[in-house]
Amino acid sequence: MADKEKTFQFVIVGGGIAGVTCVEQLSSQLPSADVALITAGPHIKAVTNYKQVSKTLEEFDVEEQPSSVLEEKFPNLTVIHSAVRSLNTNSHTVETVDGRVFGYKNLCICSGARPKLLAQDNPYVLGIRDTDSAQEFQKRLSKAQRIVIVGNGGIALELVYEVEGCEVIWAVKDKAIGNTFFDAGAAQFLIPSLEAEKPEAAAPCKRPRYTTEEPASGAAQTFTADRTSRRHGSDPTEPGSALGPDWHEGIVLQGVEQGSRRVSVEYQCEVEKVFTSEELLNSPQQTLRPESVGSWPVYIQLTNGKTFGCDFVVSATGVMPNTEPFLHGNAFAIADDGGLQVDDHMMTSEPNVYAAGDVCTACWEHSPLWQQMRLWTQARQMGWYASRCMAARVLSEPIELDFCFELFSHVTKFFNYKVVLLGKFNGQGLGPDHELLVRCTKGHEYVKVVLSHGRMVGAVLIGETDLEETFENLILNQMDLTAYGEELLNPNIDIEDYFD
Ligand SMILES: Cc1cc2nc3c(=O)[nH]c(=O)nc-3n(C[C@H](O)[C@H](O)[C@H](O)COP(=O)(O)OP(=O)(O)OC[C@H]3O[C@@H](n4cnc5c(N)ncnc54)[C@H](O)[C@@H]3O)c2cc1C
Ligand SMILES: *[C@@H]1O[C@H](CO)[C@@H](O)[C@H](O)[C@H]1NC(C)=O
């Protein structure tokens, strides 16, 4: 190993939201500290227009910026443009791929995660992770007639909604779409958005109470939609469109055909095999043959027995934490999901090594209303809190787990609806011991409340419901709501009057 070039008081690895927030907070709190940010690319991801919407809800934009912006703002910050190749926790050093060695007193690993791919090194299988891969996707899509999207999380949901002029076959392993974020009821609410956008009279279909989820009807559903001009405000040719929360904005997701969105959903299936047309023709198993062999570059066989030919497959089946460069020779405790285990001070099992964002797994005893999800908001919160913890230790000050980890909250947009998720919004970990209240107005709003022993523990709000603050308060104060019963969701009653 080369000689140590320099030892920094703090070394942060990764120029994503977690790493950049950590660097900014550290450099503001301890302006004379010697801080280094090690990141591979020339750009960093910064949080802009940060807005605290309520006690726990926050909104912000994510922007790609040249890293020089950070160095100008914080004179005692050094940005090192390389990737970490290895870590030696005994000697407190990291080595970069360009062969340099840096010492650290405290290290924070914020190296993020990458998409799990169905097939490694298959040119017809794409994962979307950063701006480059999003552009590659757009380029390939512009020549595509049919694609298969595999996965049921946020990225799959957005893609299915945004792609036009190309047939989409959407394979989900669950019995409803968007299972990561919703139950079957919310999925049914959203599905019409995949069909024609006929102006519908808002007919309230109040469904008072249910405790079991509705099964999806049939094994496959097909939706077609007329092409509606639904491009968002920004100009697709605008330079520097970053992969932020609206990562597809400004990217035209348009296939070769003009016109409709055509989505078929294949429920409750996973990918059995991906193969080329040659492999298909040479296959002795006639059963593999799709109805029309055609001449697709790639074929995908699903566990429901169906085989589809397509131009390419998008793999949106979740992420794997980027831990490899840090593991060799060290003894990190790794969680089941592959993340670096961190305690309630964002500390890993190795001394003076912290981790934040997608790369880590929160292994403290969670608040009953919080769960980890690998999202922008949590990357920011963890990066911020990790820097506070590091500073507190250096200053020998005590620090308590931040309030943001009390209640899970997330604001996003799906199928052009505002979506707010609070607490155990899907009854996560509650078992059968909970009750749901639902109010739904087709094409307008979907409100679901999760109650446990008469107390609100979670909510899903789709549309402009204006209920997020009231519900957040009801969840935080754990008031007994038994007396209110279904009136809680009566649209003719202003519930704020009850509780203020
Ligand atoms: C297509 C897509 C859409 C998404 N949409 C949303 C959304 O709408 N809302 C939402 O909340 N979340 C969304 N997410 C999730 C969100 O992007 C992540 O949760 C968040 O970016 C995690 O931030 P991070 O800082 O932990 O990691 P990242 O943003 O992944 O940053 C990791 C950084 O570490 C660097 N790095 C990695 N390895 C090394 C190494 N060995 N040495 C040095 N540097 C290294 C990388 O270059 C990168 O700069 C989306 C994700 C994807 C892929
Ligand atoms: C940078 O650090 C030095 C000491 O290491 C300190 O004197 C100086 O004020 C710091 N710069 C800023 C802008 O805080």
Side-chain angles (χ1 to χ4, degrees):
M1 207 186 248
D3 283 340
K4 202 157 49 174
E5 219 167 277
K6 182 173 175 181
T7 295
F8 294 91
Q9 199 170 357
F10 299 98
V11 171
I12 286 95
V13 180
I17 295 297
V20 171
T21 307
C22 184
V23 161
E24 288 179 326
Q25 175 59 28
L26 257 183
S27 303
S28 322
Q29 202 185 338
L30 305 172
S32 55
D34 221 352
V35 181
L37 172 65
I38 305 183
T39 189
H43 288 91
I44 51 114
K45 286 207 191 97
V47 168
T48 57
N49 303 322
Y50 178 80
K51 221 168 56 203
Q52 185 87 40
V53 186
S54 64
K55 288 196 186 84
T56 64
L57 283 165
E58 46 187 54
E59 279 176 4
F60 54 82
D61 299 325
V62 176
E63 242 177 59
E64 274 191 1
Q65 294 177 349
S67 58
S68 53
V69 173
L70 277 181
E71 282 173 301
E72 280 156 27
K73 210 154 118 199
F74 304 110
N76 284 336
L77 170 70
T78 308
V79 179
I80 296 159
H81 290 284
S82 188
V84 171
R85 177 162 62 196
S86 65
L87 162 66
N88 187 330
T89 52
N90 289 325
S91 60
H92 279 47
T93 52
V94 289
E95 187 181 5
T96 56
V97 291
D98 59 6
R100 300 199 280 163
V101 177
F102 299 96
Y104 63 82
K105 292 225 170 68
N106 298 282
L107 175 70
C108 189
I109 301 174
C110 306
S111 52
R114 61 178 187 289
K116 281 185 204 155
L117 278 190
L118 296 164
Q120 299 296 328
D121 301 319
N122 184 326
Y124 298 107
V125 177
L126 256 76
I128 298 182
R129 176 71 220 162
D130 47 23
T131 321
D132 285 349
S133 54
Q135 278 164 358
E136 173 67 14
F137 170 69
Q138 177 195 21
K139 207 174 85 201
R140 299 273 289 267
L141 184 65
S142 67
K143 299 187 212 109
Q145 283 174 297
R146 184 201 274 169
I147 64 171
V148 175
I149 297 177
V150 183
N152 204 7
I155 295 171
L157 269 171
E158 295 195 44
L159 278 181
V160 164
Y161 186 69
E162 293 298 328
V163 167
E164 287 173 338
C166 173
E167 188 183 349
V168 174
I169 293 163
W170 185 13
V172 301
K173 67 176 189 315
D174 316 288
K175 59 185 184 196
I177 63 162
N179 197 61
T180 322
F181 293 101
F182 312 118
D183 62 354
Q188 286 307 118
F189 172 83
L190 286 173
I191 276 213
S193 302
L194 291 176
E195 300 171 69
E197 265 157 309
K198 300 176 211 111
E200 282 167 329
C205 63
K206 187 165 176 270
R207 231 185 341 157
R209 262 167 207 255
Y210 68 93
T211 45
T212 49
E213 297 189 351
E214 269 184 75
S217 54
Q221 272 180 293
T222 304
F223 312 97
T224 49
D226 292 327
R227 180 169 164 73
T228 45
S229 169
R230 202 186 323 91
R231 292 266 65 88
H232 306 270
S234 57
D235 177 354
T237 59
E238 232 168 51
S241 54
L243 198 49
D246 296 316
W247 58 274
H248 49 74
E249 270 194 32
I251 298 183
V252 179
L253 298 182
Q254 172 77 50
V256 279
E257 291 163 43
Q258 286 303 310
S260 58
R261 181 199 296 132
R262 278 170 302 142
V263 180
S264 327
V265 189
E266 295 291 331
Y267 291 102
Q268 287 182 279
C269 61
E270 290 179 61
V271 175
E272 182 77 48
K273 200 168 176 254
V274 180
F275 41 89
T276 62
S277 50
E278 271 169 24
E279 286 172 305
L280 181 79
L281 287 169
N282 298 333
S283 153
Q285 292 167 269
Q286 288 297 308
T287 50
L288 283 187
R289 302 253 169 129
E291 288 82 85
S292 55
V293 173
S295 54
W296 297 101
V298 66
Y299 292 82
I300 183 165
Q301 187 191 12
L302 303 175
T303 49
N304 64 6
K306 295 189 194 173
T307 300
F308 296 96
C310 60
D311 290 291
F312 62 91
V313 177
V314 183
S315 174
T317 51
V319 294
M320 261 308 284
N322 289 321
T323 55
E324 297 81 81
F326 308 98
L327 301 183
H328 183 76
N330 304 311
F332 283 103
I334 303 292
D336 289 342
D337 62 7
L340 300 175
Q341 290 191 17
V342 292
D343 66 10
D344 57 356
H345 287 84
M346 305 307 291
M347 219 189 274
T348 67
S349 56
E350 287 285 0
N352 300 74
V353 182
Y354 295 73
D358 279 8
V359 74
C360 79
T361 303
C363 288
W364 62 82
E365 198 185 322
H366 299 170
S367 141
L369 302 168
W370 187 84
Q371 61 269 333
Q372 182 178 9
M373 285 182 88
R374 291 187 163 86
L375 297 165
W376 300 111
T377 19
Q378 292 195 354
R380 195 202 68 81
Q381 291 167 344
M382 288 179 170
W384 183 85
Y385 178 60
S387 76
R388 297 276 323 283
C389 289
M390 289 195 284
R393 209 171 60 149
V394 169
L395 302 169
S396 306
E397 285 170 2
I399 182 164
E400 273 181 42
L401 188 65
D402 194 80
F403 181 72
C404 66
F405 301 110
E406 274 303 306
L407 173 63
F408 173 88
S409 62
H410 186 58
V411 194
T412 185
K413 228 175 196 185
F414 286 125
F415 296 7
N416 223 22
Y417 287 100
K418 177 177 175 177
V419 175
V420 178
L421 305 170
L422 293 170
K424 301 285 173 184
F425 59 89
N426 248 353
Q428 293 96 328
L430 295 177
D433 206 15
H434 67 280
E435 203 179 7
L436 305 177
L437 288 178
V438 174
R439 175 174 103 202
C440 167
T441 309
K442 216 177 161 202
H444 179 62
E445 62 163 25
Y446 176 90
V447 177
K448 180 183 85 171
V449 162
V450 184
L451 296 165
S452 177
H453 304 290
R455 280 148 175 101
M456 197 184 291
V457 294
V460 174
L461 308 172
I462 307 179
E464 296 296 330
T465 66
D466 213 20
L467 290 169
E468 51 267 33
E469 261 197 89
T470 310
F471 282 9
E472 179 188 48
N473 281 327
L474 291 178
I475 294 174
L476 283 171
N477 67 25
Q478 287 294 288
M479 183 173 147
D480 188 350
L481 301 168
T482 316
Y484 300 97
E486 290 173 25
E487 288 300 298
L488 207 53
L489 290 189
N490 185 339
N492 301 318
I493 292 175
D494 192 353
I495 59 168
E496 276 174 72
D497 295 346
Y498 271 121
F499 303 112
D500 284 346

